[in-house]
Amino acid sequence: GEDVEQSLFLSVREGDSSVINCTYTDSSSTYLYWYKQEPGAGLQLLTYIFSNMDMKQDQRLTVLLNKKDKHLSLRIADTQTGDSAIYFCAEIRDTGRRALTFGSGTRLQVQP
Amino acid sequence: NAGVTQTPKFQVLKTGQSMTLQCAQDMNHEYMSWYRQDPGMGLRLIHYSVGAGITDQGEVPNGYNVSRSTTEDFPLRLLSAAPSQTSVYFCASREGTGESPLHFGNGTRLTVT
């Protein structure tokens, strides 16, 4: 999705924190989502944040939202090899379709 | 719970052939959709449905048809396959409200030669 941008690749060492960034362009977005895709599988919802929040924490995951800059990030604490996957951010817009618009995905590689 | 089930998992077609990708969900979700995933392009919406008997076009609908005769099933039809339709196809569903998260199937990998 050209309206949602992510960097393509991130490499971290096991035990470090990972930060995956996303920018979006539609200020009317109401919810923003993070999905994880493991090889050969569908997308699994990790977490989501409503646009009137600026932070949400769920165990090792922290989502930060800067609505002014239209910037979303996902921080994974104590990254494990099992976290290696592609991570997609997605926005849902206040339009008739109410469909998700996805970024291109960030491939996270965790090195032992 | 089965969730969202897609069949087949893999398919190879020759140019011009037709086929139907099946999608079924057992969560009584009103909203169902089809996405295609291509390298470096994320997921793009093909068609969607907000309930039985109602379908509408997404971002990339050309070359695909859908129908929604029941709440559970949302098949995607390729009428005359083209190499440009080589992709991984995902079906997804959610409850009727716009903010509830999408649940994805495991995908169908389609190759058109």
Side-chain angles (χ1 to χ4, degrees), chain B residues 22-58:
Chain B
Q22 302 292 343
C23 175
Q25 53 89 11
D26 62 358
M27 298 173 282
N28 202 33
H29 285 171
E30 295 179 14
Y31 182 98
M32 296 186 75
S33 55
W34 278 100
Y35 287 85
R36 60 177 289 173
Q37 183 181 24
D38 301 293
M41 299 187 73
L43 281 80
R44 293 181 291 170
L45 181 66
I46 304 171
H47 285 286
Y48 68 100
S49 168
V50 298
I54 306 169
T55 64
D56 207 344
Q57 296 181 349

PDB file of all heavy atoms in Angstrom, chain B residues 22-58:
ATOM      1  N   GLN B  22     -11.524 -21.239  -2.705  1.00  0.00           N
ATOM      2  CA  GLN B  22     -12.567 -21.342  -1.698  1.00  0.00           C
ATOM      3  C   GLN B  22     -12.144 -20.693  -0.387  1.00  0.00           C
ATOM      4  O   GLN B  22     -10.972 -20.726  -0.008  1.00  0.00           O
ATOM      5  CB  GLN B  22     -12.914 -22.818  -1.442  1.00  0.00           C
ATOM      6  CG  GLN B  22     -13.385 -23.589  -2.663  1.00  0.00           C
ATOM      7  CD  GLN B  22     -14.743 -23.118  -3.167  1.00  0.00           C
ATOM      8  OE1 GLN B  22     -15.490 -22.440  -2.465  1.00  0.00           O
ATOM      9  NE2 GLN B  22     -15.059 -23.495  -4.409  1.00  0.00           N
ATOM     10  N   CYS B  23     -13.115 -20.106   0.300  1.00  0.00           N
ATOM     11  CA  CYS B  23     -12.891 -19.527   1.621  1.00  0.00           C
ATOM     12  C   CYS B  23     -14.130 -19.777   2.460  1.00  0.00           C
ATOM     13  O   CYS B  23     -15.254 -19.483   2.019  1.00  0.00           O
ATOM     14  CB  CYS B  23     -12.614 -18.035   1.532  1.00  0.00           C
ATOM     15  SG  CYS B  23     -12.475 -17.246   3.147  1.00  0.00           S
ATOM     16  N   ALA B  24     -13.936 -20.287   3.650  1.00  0.00           N
ATOM     17  CA  ALA B  24     -15.039 -20.517   4.582  1.00  0.00           C
ATOM     18  C   ALA B  24     -14.620 -20.096   5.977  1.00  0.00           C
ATOM     19  O   ALA B  24     -13.472 -20.302   6.371  1.00  0.00           O
ATOM     20  CB  ALA B  24     -15.440 -21.993   4.578  1.00  0.00           C
ATOM     21  N   GLN B  25     -15.561 -19.495   6.716  1.00  0.00           N
ATOM     22  CA  GLN B  25     -15.289 -19.133   8.105  1.00  0.00           C
ATOM     23  C   GLN B  25     -16.449 -19.616   8.979  1.00  0.00           C
ATOM     24  O   GLN B  25     -17.607 -19.619   8.555  1.00  0.00           O
ATOM     25  CB  GLN B  25     -15.046 -17.618   8.253  1.00  0.00           C
ATOM     26  CG  GLN B  25     -16.117 -16.702   7.687  1.00  0.00           C
ATOM     27  CD  GLN B  25     -17.222 -16.341   8.622  1.00  0.00           C
ATOM     28  OE1 GLN B  25     -17.150 -16.603   9.845  1.00  0.00           O
ATOM     29  NE2 GLN B  25     -18.276 -15.735   8.101  1.00  0.00           N
ATOM     30  N   ASP B  26     -16.098 -20.011  10.196  1.00  0.00           N
ATOM     31  CA  ASP B  26     -17.082 -20.578  11.115  1.00  0.00           C
ATOM     32  C   ASP B  26     -17.305 -19.690  12.329  1.00  0.00           C
ATOM     33  O   ASP B  26     -17.722 -20.165  13.390  1.00  0.00           O
ATOM     34  CB  ASP B  26     -16.673 -21.990  11.535  1.00  0.00           C
ATOM     35  CG  ASP B  26     -15.356 -22.026  12.284  1.00  0.00           C
ATOM     36  OD1 ASP B  26     -14.726 -20.954  12.455  1.00  0.00           O
ATOM     37  OD2 ASP B  26     -14.926 -23.120  12.681  1.00  0.00           O
ATOM     38  N   MET B  27     -17.028 -18.401  12.178  1.00  0.00           N
ATOM     39  CA  MET B  27     -17.140 -17.462  13.302  1.00  0.00           C
ATOM     40  C   MET B  27     -18.365 -16.560  13.175  1.00  0.00           C
ATOM     41  O   MET B  27     -18.515 -15.614  13.939  1.00  0.00           O
ATOM     42  CB  MET B  27     -15.865 -16.623  13.365  1.00  0.00           C
ATOM     43  CG  MET B  27     -14.621 -17.462  13.628  1.00  0.00           C
ATOM     44  SD  MET B  27     -13.080 -16.535  13.511  1.00  0.00           S
ATOM     45  CE  MET B  27     -12.902 -16.448  11.720  1.00  0.00           C
ATOM     46  N   ASN B  28     -19.196 -16.836  12.189  1.00  0.00           N
ATOM     47  CA  ASN B  28     -20.408 -16.037  11.943  1.00  0.00           C
ATOM     48  C   ASN B  28     -20.080 -14.570  11.678  1.00  0.00           C
ATOM     49  O   ASN B  28     -20.838 -13.669  12.074  1.00  0.00           O
ATOM     50  CB  ASN B  28     -21.395 -16.166  13.111  1.00  0.00           C
ATOM     51  CG  ASN B  28     -22.822 -15.833  12.695  1.00  0.00           C
ATOM     52  OD1 ASN B  28     -23.218 -16.082  11.563  1.00  0.00           O
ATOM     53  ND2 ASN B  28     -23.571 -15.246  13.601  1.00  0.00           N
ATOM     54  N   HIS B  29     -18.949 -14.350  11.005  1.00  0.00           N
ATOM     55  CA  HIS B  29     -18.537 -12.979  10.697  1.00  0.00           C
ATOM     56  C   HIS B  29     -19.328 -12.442   9.520  1.00  0.00           C
ATOM     57  O   HIS B  29     -19.507 -13.118   8.510  1.00  0.00           O
ATOM     58  CB  HIS B  29     -17.045 -12.937  10.371  1.00  0.00           C
ATOM     59  CG  HIS B  29     -16.186 -13.056  11.586  1.00  0.00           C
ATOM     60  ND1 HIS B  29     -14.816 -13.224  11.499  1.00  0.00           N
ATOM     61  CD2 HIS B  29     -16.475 -13.015  12.897  1.00  0.00           C
ATOM     62  CE1 HIS B  29     -14.315 -13.275  12.715  1.00  0.00           C
ATOM     63  NE2 HIS B  29     -15.302 -13.162  13.578  1.00  0.00           N
ATOM     64  N   GLU B  30     -19.739 -11.205   9.644  1.00  0.00           N
ATOM     65  CA  GLU B  30     -20.481 -10.575   8.547  1.00  0.00           C
ATOM     66  C   GLU B  30     -19.549 -10.154   7.409  1.00  0.00           C
ATOM     67  O   GLU B  30     -19.887 -10.225   6.246  1.00  0.00           O
ATOM     68  CB  GLU B  30     -21.247  -9.365   9.062  1.00  0.00           C
ATOM     69  CG  GLU B  30     -22.354  -9.720  10.069  1.00  0.00           C
ATOM     70  CD  GLU B  30     -23.061  -8.477  10.577  1.00  0.00           C
ATOM     71  OE1 GLU B  30     -22.883  -7.400   9.974  1.00  0.00           O
ATOM     72  OE2 GLU B  30     -23.776  -8.577  11.580  1.00  0.00           O
ATOM     73  N   TYR B  31     -18.391  -9.662   7.763  1.00  0.00           N
ATOM     74  CA  TYR B  31     -17.468  -9.078   6.780  1.00  0.00           C
ATOM     75  C   TYR B  31     -16.468 -10.132   6.339  1.00  0.00           C
ATOM     76  O   TYR B  31     -15.819 -10.783   7.160  1.00  0.00           O
ATOM     77  CB  TYR B  31     -16.756  -7.883   7.411  1.00  0.00           C
ATOM     78  CG  TYR B  31     -15.809  -7.152   6.491  1.00  0.00           C
ATOM     79  CD1 TYR B  31     -16.193  -5.996   5.839  1.00  0.00           C
ATOM     80  CD2 TYR B  31     -14.502  -7.597   6.296  1.00  0.00           C
ATOM     81  CE1 TYR B  31     -15.323  -5.307   5.005  1.00  0.00           C
ATOM     82  CE2 TYR B  31     -13.637  -6.921   5.461  1.00  0.00           C
ATOM     83  CZ  TYR B  31     -14.044  -5.773   4.823  1.00  0.00           C
ATOM     84  OH  TYR B  31     -13.182  -5.103   4.004  1.00  0.00           O
ATOM     85  N   MET B  32     -16.318 -10.283   5.009  1.00  0.00           N
ATOM     86  CA  MET B  32     -15.299 -11.151   4.446  1.00  0.00           C
ATOM     87  C   MET B  32     -14.619 -10.432   3.293  1.00  0.00           C
ATOM     88  O   MET B  32     -15.229  -9.573   2.636  1.00  0.00           O
ATOM     89  CB  MET B  32     -15.893 -12.480   3.972  1.00  0.00           C
ATOM     90  CG  MET B  32     -16.485 -13.319   5.096  1.00  0.00           C
ATOM     91  SD  MET B  32     -17.038 -14.943   4.573  1.00  0.00           S
ATOM     92  CE  MET B  32     -15.466 -15.807   4.371  1.00  0.00           C
ATOM     93  N   SER B  33     -13.364 -10.785   3.042  1.00  0.00           N
ATOM     94  CA  SER B  33     -12.600 -10.076   2.031  1.00  0.00           C
ATOM     95  C   SER B  33     -11.532 -10.970   1.438  1.00  0.00           C
ATOM     96  O   SER B  33     -11.126 -11.962   2.051  1.00  0.00           O
ATOM     97  CB  SER B  33     -11.960  -8.818   2.637  1.00  0.00           C
ATOM     98  OG  SER B  33     -11.170  -9.159   3.773  1.00  0.00           O
ATOM     99  N   TRP B  34     -11.069 -10.571   0.256  1.00  0.00           N
ATOM    100  CA  TRP B  34      -9.955 -11.235  -0.407  1.00  0.00           C
ATOM    101  C   TRP B  34      -8.852 -10.229  -0.660  1.00  0.00           C
ATOM    102  O   TRP B  34      -9.106  -9.123  -1.168  1.00  0.00           O
ATOM    103  CB  TRP B  34     -10.388 -11.823  -1.748  1.00  0.00           C
ATOM    104  CG  TRP B  34     -11.063 -13.145  -1.646  1.00  0.00           C
ATOM    105  CD1 TRP B  34     -12.400 -13.400  -1.695  1.00  0.00           C
ATOM    106  CD2 TRP B  34     -10.422 -14.417  -1.491  1.00  0.00           C
ATOM    107  NE1 TRP B  34     -12.631 -14.749  -1.571  1.00  0.00           N
ATOM    108  CE2 TRP B  34     -11.437 -15.398  -1.445  1.00  0.00           C
ATOM    109  CE3 TRP B  34      -9.090 -14.835  -1.389  1.00  0.00           C
ATOM    110  CZ2 TRP B  34     -11.165 -16.752  -1.303  1.00  0.00           C
ATOM    111  CZ3 TRP B  34      -8.821 -16.183  -1.247  1.00  0.00           C
ATOM    112  CH2 TRP B  34      -9.849 -17.132  -1.212  1.00  0.00           C
ATOM    113  N   TYR B  35      -7.621 -10.630  -0.323  1.00  0.00           N
ATOM    114  CA  TYR B  35      -6.432  -9.835  -0.584  1.00  0.00           C
ATOM    115  C   TYR B  35      -5.476 -10.665  -1.421  1.00  0.00           C
ATOM    116  O   TYR B  35      -5.458 -11.885  -1.353  1.00  0.00           O
ATOM    117  CB  TYR B  35      -5.713  -9.454   0.713  1.00  0.00           C
ATOM    118  CG  TYR B  35      -6.394  -8.400   1.550  1.00  0.00           C
ATOM    119  CD1 TYR B  35      -7.387  -8.724   2.454  1.00  0.00           C
ATOM    120  CD2 TYR B  35      -6.001  -7.062   1.441  1.00  0.00           C
ATOM    121  CE1 TYR B  35      -7.994  -7.748   3.230  1.00  0.00           C
ATOM    122  CE2 TYR B  35      -6.592  -6.076   2.224  1.00  0.00           C
ATOM    123  CZ  TYR B  35      -7.593  -6.433   3.118  1.00  0.00           C
ATOM    124  OH  TYR B  35      -8.184  -5.462   3.887  1.00  0.00           O
ATOM    125  N   ARG B  36      -4.646  -9.980  -2.184  1.00  0.00           N
ATOM    126  CA  ARG B  36      -3.513 -10.640  -2.801  1.00  0.00           C
ATOM    127  C   ARG B  36      -2.234 -10.021  -2.263  1.00  0.00           C
ATOM    128  O   ARG B  36      -2.190  -8.809  -1.960  1.00  0.00           O
ATOM    129  CB  ARG B  36      -3.563 -10.559  -4.334  1.00  0.00           C
ATOM    130  CG  ARG B  36      -3.572  -9.183  -4.939  1.00  0.00           C
ATOM    131  CD  ARG B  36      -3.538  -9.248  -6.465  1.00  0.00           C
ATOM    132  NE  ARG B  36      -2.233  -9.685  -6.980  1.00  0.00           N
ATOM    133  CZ  ARG B  36      -1.990  -9.951  -8.259  1.00  0.00           C
ATOM    134  NH1 ARG B  36      -2.943  -9.834  -9.167  1.00  0.00           N
ATOM    135  NH2 ARG B  36      -0.787 -10.332  -8.643  1.00  0.00           N
ATOM    136  N   GLN B  37      -1.233 -10.873  -2.105  1.00  0.00           N
ATOM    137  CA  GLN B  37       0.049 -10.427  -1.566  1.00  0.00           C
ATOM    138  C   GLN B  37       1.133 -10.650  -2.603  1.00  0.00           C
ATOM    139  O   GLN B  37       1.371 -11.781  -3.038  1.00  0.00           O
ATOM    140  CB  GLN B  37       0.404 -11.175  -0.283  1.00  0.00           C
ATOM    141  CG  GLN B  37       1.704 -10.702   0.352  1.00  0.00           C
ATOM    142  CD  GLN B  37       2.057 -11.461   1.600  1.00  0.00           C
ATOM    143  OE1 GLN B  37       1.646 -12.590   1.815  1.00  0.00           O
ATOM    144  NE2 GLN B  37       2.811 -10.821   2.488  1.00  0.00           N
ATOM    145  N   ASP B  38       1.791  -9.583  -2.974  1.00  0.00           N
ATOM    146  CA  ASP B  38       2.878  -9.644  -3.933  1.00  0.00           C
ATOM    147  C   ASP B  38       4.134  -9.054  -3.292  1.00  0.00           C
ATOM    148  O   ASP B  38       4.031  -8.127  -2.465  1.00  0.00           O
ATOM    149  CB  ASP B  38       2.513  -8.860  -5.199  1.00  0.00           C
ATOM    150  CG  ASP B  38       1.260  -9.416  -5.853  1.00  0.00           C
ATOM    151  OD1 ASP B  38       1.328 -10.560  -6.336  1.00  0.00           O
ATOM    152  OD2 ASP B  38       0.213  -8.739  -5.855  1.00  0.00           O
ATOM    153  N   PRO B  39       5.308  -9.546  -3.660  1.00  0.00           N
ATOM    154  CA  PRO B  39       6.548  -9.092  -3.005  1.00  0.00           C
ATOM    155  C   PRO B  39       6.699  -7.578  -3.059  1.00  0.00           C
ATOM    156  O   PRO B  39       6.548  -6.963  -4.112  1.00  0.00           O
ATOM    157  CB  PRO B  39       7.642  -9.792  -3.835  1.00  0.00           C
ATOM    158  CG  PRO B  39       6.962 -10.991  -4.400  1.00  0.00           C
ATOM    159  CD  PRO B  39       5.548 -10.581  -4.675  1.00  0.00           C
ATOM    160  N   GLY B  40       7.013  -6.984  -1.897  1.00  0.00           N
ATOM    161  CA  GLY B  40       7.267  -5.555  -1.822  1.00  0.00           C
ATOM    162  C   GLY B  40       6.031  -4.678  -1.935  1.00  0.00           C
ATOM    163  O   GLY B  40       6.157  -3.449  -1.951  1.00  0.00           O
ATOM    164  N   MET B  41       4.842  -5.290  -1.997  1.00  0.00           N
ATOM    165  CA  MET B  41       3.629  -4.478  -2.190  1.00  0.00           C
ATOM    166  C   MET B  41       2.610  -4.657  -1.084  1.00  0.00           C
ATOM    167  O   MET B  41       1.503  -4.151  -1.173  1.00  0.00           O
ATOM    168  CB  MET B  41       2.991  -4.816  -3.542  1.00  0.00           C
ATOM    169  CG  MET B  41       3.907  -4.521  -4.708  1.00  0.00           C
ATOM    170  SD  MET B  41       3.099  -4.724  -6.285  1.00  0.00           S
ATOM    171  CE  MET B  41       2.046  -3.283  -6.297  1.00  0.00           C
ATOM    172  N   GLY B  42       2.943  -5.370  -0.051  1.00  0.00           N
ATOM    173  CA  GLY B  42       1.965  -5.565   1.008  1.00  0.00           C
ATOM    174  C   GLY B  42       0.779  -6.350   0.518  1.00  0.00           C
ATOM    175  O   GLY B  42       0.877  -7.169  -0.401  1.00  0.00           O
ATOM    176  N   LEU B  43      -0.368  -6.131   1.098  1.00  0.00           N
ATOM    177  CA  LEU B  43      -1.598  -6.808   0.710  1.00  0.00           C
ATOM    178  C   LEU B  43      -2.529  -5.792   0.065  1.00  0.00           C
ATOM    179  O   LEU B  43      -2.712  -4.685   0.574  1.00  0.00           O
ATOM    180  CB  LEU B  43      -2.288  -7.431   1.920  1.00  0.00           C
ATOM    181  CG  LEU B  43      -1.699  -8.747   2.413  1.00  0.00           C
ATOM    182  CD1 LEU B  43      -0.466  -8.524   3.257  1.00  0.00           C
ATOM    183  CD2 LEU B  43      -2.744  -9.528   3.201  1.00  0.00           C
ATOM    184  N   ARG B  44      -3.138  -6.195  -1.019  1.00  0.00           N
ATOM    185  CA  ARG B  44      -4.066  -5.313  -1.718  1.00  0.00           C
ATOM    186  C   ARG B  44      -5.443  -5.970  -1.770  1.00  0.00           C
ATOM    187  O   ARG B  44      -5.567  -7.152  -2.090  1.00  0.00           O
ATOM    188  CB  ARG B  44      -3.558  -5.011  -3.127  1.00  0.00           C
ATOM    189  CG  ARG B  44      -2.279  -4.173  -3.142  1.00  0.00           C
ATOM    190  CD  ARG B  44      -1.825  -3.892  -4.571  1.00  0.00           C
ATOM    191  NE  ARG B  44      -1.359  -5.100  -5.237  1.00  0.00           N
ATOM    192  CZ  ARG B  44      -1.094  -5.177  -6.538  1.00  0.00           C
ATOM    193  NH1 ARG B  44      -1.276  -4.122  -7.316  1.00  0.00           N
ATOM    194  NH2 ARG B  44      -0.668  -6.314  -7.054  1.00  0.00           N
ATOM    195  N   LEU B  45      -6.454  -5.169  -1.504  1.00  0.00           N
ATOM    196  CA  LEU B  45      -7.825  -5.667  -1.421  1.00  0.00           C
ATOM    197  C   LEU B  45      -8.397  -5.905  -2.813  1.00  0.00           C
ATOM    198  O   LEU B  45      -8.375  -5.007  -3.669  1.00  0.00           O
ATOM    199  CB  LEU B  45      -8.684  -4.650  -0.665  1.00  0.00           C
ATOM    200  CG  LEU B  45     -10.149  -5.012  -0.448  1.00  0.00           C
ATOM    201  CD1 LEU B  45     -10.281  -6.220   0.470  1.00  0.00           C
ATOM    202  CD2 LEU B  45     -10.896  -3.813   0.125  1.00  0.00           C
ATOM    203  N   ILE B  46      -8.949  -7.100  -3.037  1.00  0.00           N
ATOM    204  CA  ILE B  46      -9.529  -7.448  -4.334  1.00  0.00           C
ATOM    205  C   ILE B  46     -11.043  -7.190  -4.327  1.00  0.00           C
ATOM    206  O   ILE B  46     -11.554  -6.398  -5.117  1.00  0.00           O
ATOM    207  CB  ILE B  46      -9.263  -8.925  -4.679  1.00  0.00           C
ATOM    208  CG1 ILE B  46      -7.758  -9.229  -4.642  1.00  0.00           C
ATOM    209  CG2 ILE B  46      -9.816  -9.256  -6.060  1.00  0.00           C
ATOM    210  CD1 ILE B  46      -7.434 -10.710  -4.766  1.00  0.00           C
ATOM    211  N   HIS B  47     -11.738  -7.893  -3.471  1.00  0.00           N
ATOM    212  CA  HIS B  47     -13.183  -7.734  -3.286  1.00  0.00           C
ATOM    213  C   HIS B  47     -13.506  -7.922  -1.813  1.00  0.00           C
ATOM    214  O   HIS B  47     -12.733  -8.541  -1.079  1.00  0.00           O
ATOM    215  CB  HIS B  47     -13.966  -8.778  -4.091  1.00  0.00           C
ATOM    216  CG  HIS B  47     -14.035  -8.549  -5.557  1.00  0.00           C
ATOM    217  ND1 HIS B  47     -14.828  -7.580  -6.138  1.00  0.00           N
ATOM    218  CD2 HIS B  47     -13.410  -9.174  -6.584  1.00  0.00           C
ATOM    219  CE1 HIS B  47     -14.691  -7.619  -7.442  1.00  0.00           C
ATOM    220  NE2 HIS B  47     -13.828  -8.579  -7.748  1.00  0.00           N
ATOM    221  N   TYR B  48     -14.662  -7.426  -1.420  1.00  0.00           N
ATOM    222  CA  TYR B  48     -15.090  -7.634  -0.052  1.00  0.00           C
ATOM    223  C   TYR B  48     -16.610  -7.754  -0.006  1.00  0.00           C
ATOM    224  O   TYR B  48     -17.315  -7.445  -0.984  1.00  0.00           O
ATOM    225  CB  TYR B  48     -14.601  -6.501   0.862  1.00  0.00           C
ATOM    226  CG  TYR B  48     -15.245  -5.155   0.608  1.00  0.00           C
ATOM    227  CD1 TYR B  48     -16.275  -4.693   1.419  1.00  0.00           C
ATOM    228  CD2 TYR B  48     -14.809  -4.352  -0.425  1.00  0.00           C
ATOM    229  CE1 TYR B  48     -16.865  -3.460   1.193  1.00  0.00           C
ATOM    230  CE2 TYR B  48     -15.387  -3.122  -0.663  1.00  0.00           C
ATOM    231  CZ  TYR B  48     -16.409  -2.676   0.148  1.00  0.00           C
ATOM    232  OH  TYR B  48     -16.990  -1.450  -0.070  1.00  0.00           O
ATOM    233  N   SER B  49     -17.091  -8.222   1.151  1.00  0.00           N
ATOM    234  CA  SER B  49     -18.525  -8.404   1.344  1.00  0.00           C
ATOM    235  C   SER B  49     -18.883  -8.047   2.778  1.00  0.00           C
ATOM    236  O   SER B  49     -18.218  -8.489   3.719  1.00  0.00           O
ATOM    237  CB  SER B  49     -18.909  -9.862   1.062  1.00  0.00           C
ATOM    238  OG  SER B  49     -20.227 -10.128   1.495  1.00  0.00           O
ATOM    239  N   VAL B  50     -19.934  -7.259   2.945  1.00  0.00           N
ATOM    240  CA  VAL B  50     -20.352  -6.867   4.300  1.00  0.00           C
ATOM    241  C   VAL B  50     -21.488  -7.747   4.819  1.00  0.00           C
ATOM    242  O   VAL B  50     -21.968  -7.529   5.935  1.00  0.00           O
ATOM    243  CB  VAL B  50     -20.729  -5.379   4.368  1.00  0.00           C
ATOM    244  CG1 VAL B  50     -19.529  -4.511   4.036  1.00  0.00           C
ATOM    245  CG2 VAL B  50     -21.901  -5.066   3.454  1.00  0.00           C
ATOM    246  N   GLY B  51     -21.906  -8.720   4.022  1.00  0.00           N
ATOM    247  CA  GLY B  51     -22.945  -9.642   4.456  1.00  0.00           C
ATOM    248  C   GLY B  51     -23.422 -10.477   3.290  1.00  0.00           C
ATOM    249  O   GLY B  51     -23.099 -10.188   2.119  1.00  0.00           O
ATOM    250  N   ALA B  52     -24.192 -11.512   3.586  1.00  0.00           N
ATOM    251  CA  ALA B  52     -24.702 -12.393   2.530  1.00  0.00           C
ATOM    252  C   ALA B  52     -25.491 -11.581   1.515  1.00  0.00           C
ATOM    253  O   ALA B  52     -26.318 -10.737   1.876  1.00  0.00           O
ATOM    254  CB  ALA B  52     -25.566 -13.488   3.140  1.00  0.00           C
ATOM    255  N   GLY B  53     -25.194 -11.833   0.244  1.00  0.00           N
ATOM    256  CA  GLY B  53     -25.872 -11.159  -0.847  1.00  0.00           C
ATOM    257  C   GLY B  53     -25.299  -9.809  -1.229  1.00  0.00           C
ATOM    258  O   GLY B  53     -25.763  -9.178  -2.182  1.00  0.00           O
ATOM    259  N   ILE B  54     -24.250  -9.364  -0.510  1.00  0.00           N
ATOM    260  CA  ILE B  54     -23.674  -8.039  -0.760  1.00  0.00           C
ATOM    261  C   ILE B  54     -22.178  -8.185  -1.024  1.00  0.00           C
ATOM    262  O   ILE B  54     -21.445  -8.716  -0.197  1.00  0.00           O
ATOM    263  CB  ILE B  54     -23.875  -7.105   0.454  1.00  0.00           C
ATOM    264  CG1 ILE B  54     -25.348  -7.035   0.836  1.00  0.00           C
ATOM    265  CG2 ILE B  54     -23.324  -5.708   0.148  1.00  0.00           C
ATOM    266  CD1 ILE B  54     -25.582  -6.365   2.168  1.00  0.00           C
ATOM    267  N   THR B  55     -21.734  -7.715  -2.197  1.00  0.00           N
ATOM    268  CA  THR B  55     -20.300  -7.707  -2.491  1.00  0.00           C
ATOM    269  C   THR B  55     -19.936  -6.367  -3.116  1.00  0.00           C
ATOM    270  O   THR B  55     -20.801  -5.667  -3.660  1.00  0.00           O
ATOM    271  CB  THR B  55     -19.889  -8.836  -3.462  1.00  0.00           C
ATOM    272  OG1 THR B  55     -20.533  -8.620  -4.723  1.00  0.00           O
ATOM    273  CG2 THR B  55     -20.291 -10.194  -2.914  1.00  0.00           C
ATOM    274  N   ASP B  56     -18.659  -6.040  -3.043  1.00  0.00           N
ATOM    275  CA  ASP B  56     -18.198  -4.786  -3.630  1.00  0.00           C
ATOM    276  C   ASP B  56     -16.732  -4.907  -3.993  1.00  0.00           C
ATOM    277  O   ASP B  56     -16.025  -5.807  -3.510  1.00  0.00           O
ATOM    278  CB  ASP B  56     -18.404  -3.614  -2.669  1.00  0.00           C
ATOM    279  CG  ASP B  56     -18.585  -2.289  -3.400  1.00  0.00           C
ATOM    280  OD1 ASP B  56     -18.240  -2.225  -4.613  1.00  0.00           O
ATOM    281  OD2 ASP B  56     -19.068  -1.327  -2.790  1.00  0.00           O
ATOM    282  N   GLN B  57     -16.287  -4.011  -4.865  1.00  0.00           N
ATOM    283  CA  GLN B  57     -14.920  -4.070  -5.363  1.00  0.00           C
ATOM    284  C   GLN B  57     -13.954  -3.409  -4.406  1.00  0.00           C
ATOM    285  O   GLN B  57     -14.277  -2.431  -3.744  1.00  0.00           O
ATOM    286  CB  GLN B  57     -14.844  -3.367  -6.724  1.00  0.00           C
ATOM    287  CG  GLN B  57     -15.661  -4.043  -7.803  1.00  0.00           C
ATOM    288  CD  GLN B  57     -15.535  -3.334  -9.144  1.00  0.00           C
ATOM    289  OE1 GLN B  57     -15.006  -2.226  -9.225  1.00  0.00           O
ATOM    290  NE2 GLN B  57     -16.018  -3.970 -10.193  1.00  0.00           N
ATOM    291  N   GLY B  58     -12.744  -3.955  -4.407  1.00  0.00           N
ATOM    292  CA  GLY B  58     -11.663  -3.360  -3.648  1.00  0.00           C
ATOM    293  C   GLY B  58     -10.748  -2.567  -4.539  1.00  0.00           C
ATOM    294  O   GLY B  58     -11.170  -1.965  -5.520  1.00  0.00           O
TER     295      GLY B  58
END
